[in-house]
Amino acid sequence: MTTIEQDLFKRILEDRKYELGTGFRKREDLAIEASPDDLDRIQQASDHDFVVSNLERNAGQLREVRAALDRIDAGIFGVCSGCEEHINSKRLAAVPWASFCILCQQAVDLGLEPSRSGMSMVLDRAA
């Protein structure tokens, strides 16, 4: 990966980090007002659960973005953490914080260990 490409990804990741960081300043959405109406309380509880779910998702993505920025600083951005092959540029364009190539990410999603050789995963699937 060229320095220009890394700089572009770094800017994208820093922008995303800023966007995610500003979302944590909206914690007032977590406040639940007391209401005598049962339907209002149910709606407020549902809204609260939705806000908490969004905060948790954003916190996870913020950790991934920070880890990607650390990989840029370490000079290993774009290298799969599983098989140590280069991550496809189309994948990085779609998910700049990706730490795994597609094959290794599929293994992780299935609860398997990513392979040190992406090719061995392909061969294992064919068998």
Side-chain angles (χ1 to χ4, degrees):
M1 179 174 298
T2 67
T3 304
I4 294 171
E5 290 172 323
Q6 277 193 348
D7 289 344
L8 175 63
F9 280 117
K10 188 170 187 170
R11 277 192 308 237
I12 291 168
L13 289 164
E14 286 173 344
D15 288 347
R16 186 66 183 145
K17 179 181 163 185
Y18 175 78
E19 290 170 13
L20 291 167
T22 58
F24 289 112
R25 293 184 183 97
K26 298 179 182 178
R27 293 180 188 241
E28 64 272 3
D29 293 341
L30 291 172
I32 298 177
E33 297 177 24
S35 174
D37 185 18
D38 287 340
L39 290 176
D40 285 343
R41 281 196 303 267
I42 291 169
Q43 180 63 46
Q44 289 169 346
S46 176
D47 291 347
H48 179 268
D49 290 344
F50 178 75
V51 169
V52 168
S53 175
N54 280 340
L55 284 173
E56 288 173 351
R57 185 185 69 246
N58 288 349
Q61 192 175 78
L62 184 57
R63 280 189 297 276
E64 292 174 351
V65 167
R66 286 178 176 156
L69 287 167
D70 289 344
R71 288 192 301 276
I72 288 174
D73 291 341
I76 56 171
F77 179 79
V79 176
C80 178
S81 297
C83 66
E84 298 178 355
E85 297 291 326
H86 289 285
I87 299 173
N88 187 300
S89 60
K90 289 181 183 179
R91 174 160 170 71
L92 288 174
V95 186
W97 49 87
S99 61
F100 294 107
C101 67
I102 289 288
L103 291 175
C104 289
Q105 184 64 57
Q106 288 173 341
V108 169
D109 291 346
L110 293 171
L112 304 171
E113 281 292 317
S115 173
R116 285 289 167 206
S117 169
M119 186 53 76
S120 68
M121 286 180 56
V122 173
L123 295 175
D124 291 342
R125 285 186 179 180

